[in-house]
Amino acid sequence: MRAALIAAAMITAGPSALHAATPPSQPVTARTSSQLQGPFELHSRVYPGTVRRYWVYVPADYDPARPPNLLIFQDGQRAVNPSGSLRLPAVLDDLIGRHDIPSTLGIFVTPGHRAAHYPDDLGMNNPDHRVEEYDSISDDYARLTLNELLPAVATRWRFTSDPRRRAIGGTSSGAIAAWTVAWRHPNAFGNVLSFIGSYTSIGLKLGANGTPVAYGGDTYPALIRKSPIKPLRIFLQDGRNDLDNEHGNWFLANQQMLKALEWANAHAASDEKTDARYEINHVWTDGVHSDADAGALLPAAVRWIWRGQR
């Protein structure tokens, strides 16, 4: 049933819809010639006292003389889980093997945990520093990504510096973390994959008198409308039965993001000083707050993000 609903959503998502012929629920077959290296530990100067794990997917056709595209995905423990919904290494194997996308290096990184070493028994559970990193709209997580994570990976593997060939993504709070990095640094990442994004008030902190001392992701629609357009290509997915709690309504929040991006494009059409536009695609499903629909849509979403590249 879920596959049928997603296929219908892909057909009706508008002129930029994903190709309806893509079988979104078709299992992908992992090839054995690629490598998933790790996990590695990364201690952070941006967030002292925290440690995170990351894995590096090295494609079978990796050639350091021709630096591959780059995909970073948050909540790496779930992204690489072979029994999970996302199974990103297998997805990349299949897409690269079919020549649907260019050669791509993948980095799958967990949030930080307050410890000297990442706990071996944490499994798929969230590390305890996730909210501080993912749901803040400050530049801190971007600084960790650009100044600590990428240089650590670059000591062993080469990857493109072209933002059009770099994508960053995630699900839930991992999606808003990815958006924040690209929004603040479009010169580093030109593409965003956002699934069930938490564009809500999780990061909002109130002072003693009730005045906000830190804002949450629910401010992004207003920021998008009042800021210059960034050269970003964005894929958005959310489910109509996503969460509704004290932080906000997830589906409404994602719709607000889409409307803000569309408004910015329409407003720019009357601005003779810029020809910049957001490239937007979205799929609304009937899903809940889980990675299930993201896993079904990932192959088609990655194809759309890097369409026209070889």
Side-chain angles (χ1 to χ4, degrees):
M1 174 63 77
R2 175 176 285 115
L5 291 172
I6 294 175
M10 291 164 69
I11 294 170
T12 59
S16 63
L18 305 177
H19 297 297
T22 299
S25 60
Q26 178 179 331
V28 293
T29 303
R31 295 154 63 231
T32 58
S33 49
S34 64
Q35 294 182 329
L36 185 66
Q37 299 280 345
F40 307 101
E41 285 197 349
L42 179 69
H43 294 264
S44 174
R45 298 181 301 276
V46 178
Y47 302 106
T50 66
V51 61
R52 59 216 24 83
R53 277 182 174 172
Y54 66 93
W55 293 257
V56 178
Y57 167 88
V58 185
D61 59 354
Y62 173 75
D63 180 358
R66 301 179 62 188
N69 281 20
L70 177 67
L71 171 63
I72 296 184
F73 214 85
Q74 319 312 309
D75 291 307
Q77 75 278 23
R78 297 205 302 271
V80 302
N81 180 10
S83 301
S85 298
L86 300 174
R87 295 174 296 130
L88 265 157
V91 170
L92 291 177
D93 265 346
D94 190 67
L95 293 176
I96 296 169
R98 296 175 187 269
H99 304 289
D100 287 350
I101 65 170
S103 181
T104 298
L105 189 85
I107 303 173
F108 312 117
V109 59
T110 73
H113 195 81
R114 299 179 183 91
H117 295 285
Y118 194 92
D120 288 327
D121 59 356
L122 199 54
M124 298 303 111
N125 293 323
N126 290 332
D128 63 13
H129 206 248
R130 186 171 186 260
V131 169
E132 291 84 349
E133 296 180 17
Y134 282 9
D135 292 292
S136 168
I137 64 172
S138 77
D139 200 39
D140 290 348
Y141 189 69
R143 290 193 295 117
L144 178 148
T145 301
L146 298 176
N147 300 334
E148 297 181 343
L149 176 62
L150 290 186
V153 174
T155 62
R156 295 185 60 181
W157 297 281
R158 297 191 66 193
F159 45 84
T160 183
S161 59
D162 184 349
R164 294 169 299 179
R165 292 181 173 270
R166 285 176 161 192
I168 186 166
T171 70
S172 190
S173 292
I176 190 174
W179 167 261
T180 298
V181 173
W183 166 260
R184 287 181 167 271
H185 300 276
N187 59 325
F189 289 95
N191 307 281
V192 180
L193 290 161
S194 172
F195 300 95
I196 56 172
S198 301
Y199 303 104
T200 62
S201 67
I202 296 174
L204 175 65
K205 296 180 181 178
L206 302 177
N209 62 355
T211 301
V213 296
Y215 290 89
D218 54 328
T219 61
Y220 268 129
L223 289 169
I224 291 167
R225 290 173 182 264
K226 296 189 176 184
S227 301
I229 288 180
K230 313 293 178 74
L232 296 175
R233 182 177 286 180
I234 310 107
F235 176 81
L236 288 169
Q237 177 272 330
D238 197 24
R240 295 178 181 86
N241 295 295
D242 205 341
L243 297 172
D244 185 11
N245 58 27
E246 71 273 19
H247 302 302
N249 181 291
W250 264 246
F251 185 46
L252 178 60
N254 277 270
Q255 291 178 86
Q256 290 278 27
M257 287 288 289
L258 175 63
K259 286 297 184 183
L261 293 165
E262 291 177 339
W263 183 91
N265 279 349
H267 180 72
S270 61
D271 186 353
E272 298 179 355
K273 297 179 181 179
T274 180
D275 59 358
R277 299 290 187 276
Y278 291 110
E279 294 186 61
I280 318 156
N281 202 350
H282 75 283
V283 174
W284 303 145
T285 69
D286 288 331
V288 297
H289 196 75
S290 84
D291 292 342
D293 288 350
L297 285 165
L298 260 169
V302 175
R303 284 191 193 98
W304 179 81
I305 283 286
W306 280 326
R307 66 190 186 279
Q309 295 188 20
R310 287 293 183 269

